[in-house]
Amino acid sequence: MNARCFIRRSTLIFLGTLILIAGVPPLLSQVDTGTILGLVKDPSGAVVPAAQVTITNEATNQTMTSKTDSNGSYTFTPIPVGVYTVTASDSGFQKTVHTHVTVNIQEQTVANLTLVPGNVTQTVSVTAEPPLLQTQNASVQQVVTSKAINDLPLNGRNATYLARLDAGVTPAHNSGRGLTDSGSFSANGFGSLQNNYLLDGIDDNAEVGDLINQTQYVVMPPPDAVSEFTVQTNNYSAEFGHAAGAVLNATTKSGTNRLQGDLWEFIRNDHLDGTPFFLNAAGQQKAEYRLNQFGFTLGGPVVVPHIYHGRNKTFFFGYYQGTRIREGSTAVSTVPTVAERASGFTNFQDLIAGQSGTRKDILGRSFPLGTIFDPATTRAITKGQIDPVTGLMAPSTGYVRDPFYRGSLNGVTNFTTPAAEGLLNVIPANRLDPNAIKLVNLYPQPTGSSLLSNYTSAPIDMNDEDQGGIRIDQYFGENDRMFGSYALSDVVSTAPGPFPGLADGQANRPGSGTTTARNWAVSETHIFSPTFINEARFGYSRLHDVRLQLNGDDLSNIP
């Protein structure tokens, strides 16, 4: 069987159609960015209007400059997540520098500065941490930083697992894209399909969910490529109107002025695993388990010797992760017995020997459980009349059928004696279709001697995933910046059934097949003035599943 699932989602966000006019302080909309805001005062507590405030990204050395308004307040938004140095200066005051101001997704970080009278060439350094409690908006959210993503235990390297650490969040599905658990979760009682996934500010939702793979997102980069993400569970702003559940907003890492990256491989295998109960009972070895996850990241400035020097201007970040899983699963099934196969499927007396109990038909004849009846002998009988085949008087009206029996049926009412049972369940060879025999022969030999559940196997599920992506950030000046990102995931899953070859025995879902996922985004932000900002963003996401049962299109050995 062949099942195809095609899910496409394109998102066009022109924030430029909305002119953002600042208030005091202006709480502006941002998707995968943040805000630094605050007040500049003198030691007496009076505000300092028209003071110059500059923020510098400590990783890329990019700067933005503004002036405080008449109320002494300043705002920088939207700005990329990262760590910044905030500097304030004015004539007659010493320069004040606040270092290591962290900006997270969807957060307004407050950095209030105090200017001390003195020579402008003097500098006052501020090391106090910003307040942990954010009061600039009412959203309930948790920020999962890059450090947490890389330091916390993360089986399967799926960063969405960490969303479950948030209050009101519980696990949902337990199966994933042929690899590990999907990380799906429920928030505040809403189903997992009610969550909203964003990647680099672009819709990353798999519509009603990837019903085959049990995931709700299209692409989720490996942890080493995720800068951070937030999980908002309540009171989020109107820009997140997609669903009623939580909002998981992730952003990929950007390059910096320093060329850096990492290399990894995670390995698991079955050497320390115990043998599952049913495999051990059948005297078979434990199933194979192999997991290899390997990859790299590399980011830095775009520099082409003698052609282009992108330090402080152009940055790249790329990544790749490969996942290879071989996992055996215990399967217990029923196949024809050795005696049935040896007789050419004419002798089924083991159906009687393998179970106990009797049943009666409407002629009052007793048969052991497992008796096979000949459909060609089906006939009607009438109450009070003699059945011409058996010579028995019918106690009621109805239909009767005779067993496959190598003796005389005349007058026999008890087929449960050892002598009678030895004559039952032998089917004449000329009554069997040779094509049916060929089909039944596709089943493997039993691994046990019982009548039922006599075949135990450990088929190997194979899952291969290749993930990759790249992000380019371009700074044209203090008031103009742009980025583009592209993320992909290709998965090939092979889920064999309990039987080898064409017999298979596996359903088509989740089954074998391919999953291709794509997500890309382009964003341009231009700051015309501190109160006039335009952001245009375009993105596209696509998820395509194909499921084809193993040998599902191979009829070469079937008549």
Side-chain angles (χ1 to χ4, degrees), residues 114-337:
T114 299
L115 291 179
V116 179
N119 194 322
V120 72
T121 60
Q122 296 176 298
T123 301
V124 176
S125 297
V126 179
T127 58
E129 292 292 332
L132 296 177
L133 180 63
Q134 177 177 281
T135 60
Q136 279 63 50
N137 63 51
S139 65
V140 178
Q141 69 178 26
Q142 172 180 301
V143 178
V144 182
T145 64
S146 176
K147 178 176 176 59
I149 292 172
N150 284 282
D151 289 354
L152 291 174
L154 203 56
N155 185 19
R157 293 175 54 75
N158 186 340
T160 58
Y161 267 121
L162 300 180
R164 300 175 181 180
L165 300 177
D166 201 3
V169 175
T170 58
H173 298 292
N174 291 321
S175 60
R177 186 166 292 169
L179 299 170
T180 57
D181 290 357
S182 67
S184 297
F185 61 92
S186 299
N188 297 327
F190 289 98
S192 59
L193 296 180
Q194 298 301 314
N195 296 328
N196 184 12
Y197 289 83
L198 296 171
L199 180 62
D200 287 335
I202 294 300
D203 192 328
D204 194 37
N205 296 287
E207 294 291 348
V208 296
D210 180 0
L211 299 181
I212 293 177
N213 297 306
Q214 299 299 308
T215 59
Q216 273 67 62
Y217 51 79
V218 175
V219 180
M220 186 55 60
D224 304 81
V226 177
S227 175
E228 64 181 40
F229 67 85
T230 61
V231 182
Q232 299 183 64
T233 56
N234 208 343
N235 291 340
Y236 36 80
S237 63
E239 62 189 302
F240 301 113
H242 174 85
V247 177
L248 193 150
N249 190 358
T251 180
T252 55
K253 288 183 177 179
S254 302
T256 66
N257 273 326
R258 180 183 177 187
L259 185 65
Q260 56 188 347
D262 53 3
L263 189 68
W264 68 86
E265 179 167 15
F266 294 84
I267 301 174
R268 293 175 57 192
N269 56 52
D270 57 76
H271 290 319
L272 299 179
D273 294 344
T275 303
F277 174 81
F278 291 105
L279 285 178
N280 189 54
Q284 298 195 28
Q285 295 182 349
K286 59 187 175 183
E288 178 185 353
Y289 185 79
R290 302 285 188 275
L291 184 149
N292 294 81
Q293 287 182 291
F294 50 89
F296 69 89
T297 66
L298 183 64
V302 177
V303 176
V304 181
H306 310 296
I307 298 177
Y308 183 75
H309 297 281
R311 190 174 300 275
N312 299 333
K313 295 184 296 182
T314 308
F315 307 92
F316 77 94
F317 183 87
Y319 63 91
Y320 166 80
Q321 176 172 275
T323 303
R324 304 292 183 266
I325 299 179
R326 302 295 181 264
E327 182 175 9
S329 57
T330 305
V332 180
S333 310
T334 298
V335 298
T337 65

Side-chain angles (χ1 to χ4, degrees), residues 86-118:
V86 183
T87 304
S89 62
D90 197 14
S91 59
F93 292 94
Q94 300 178 35
K95 181 186 296 184
T96 299
V97 178
H98 191 164
T99 58
H100 309 317
V101 177
T102 300
V103 177
N104 296 314
I105 299 178
Q106 286 294 122
E107 284 192 351
Q108 287 88 38
T109 302
V110 177
N112 294 323
L113 302 171
T114 299
L115 291 179
V116 179

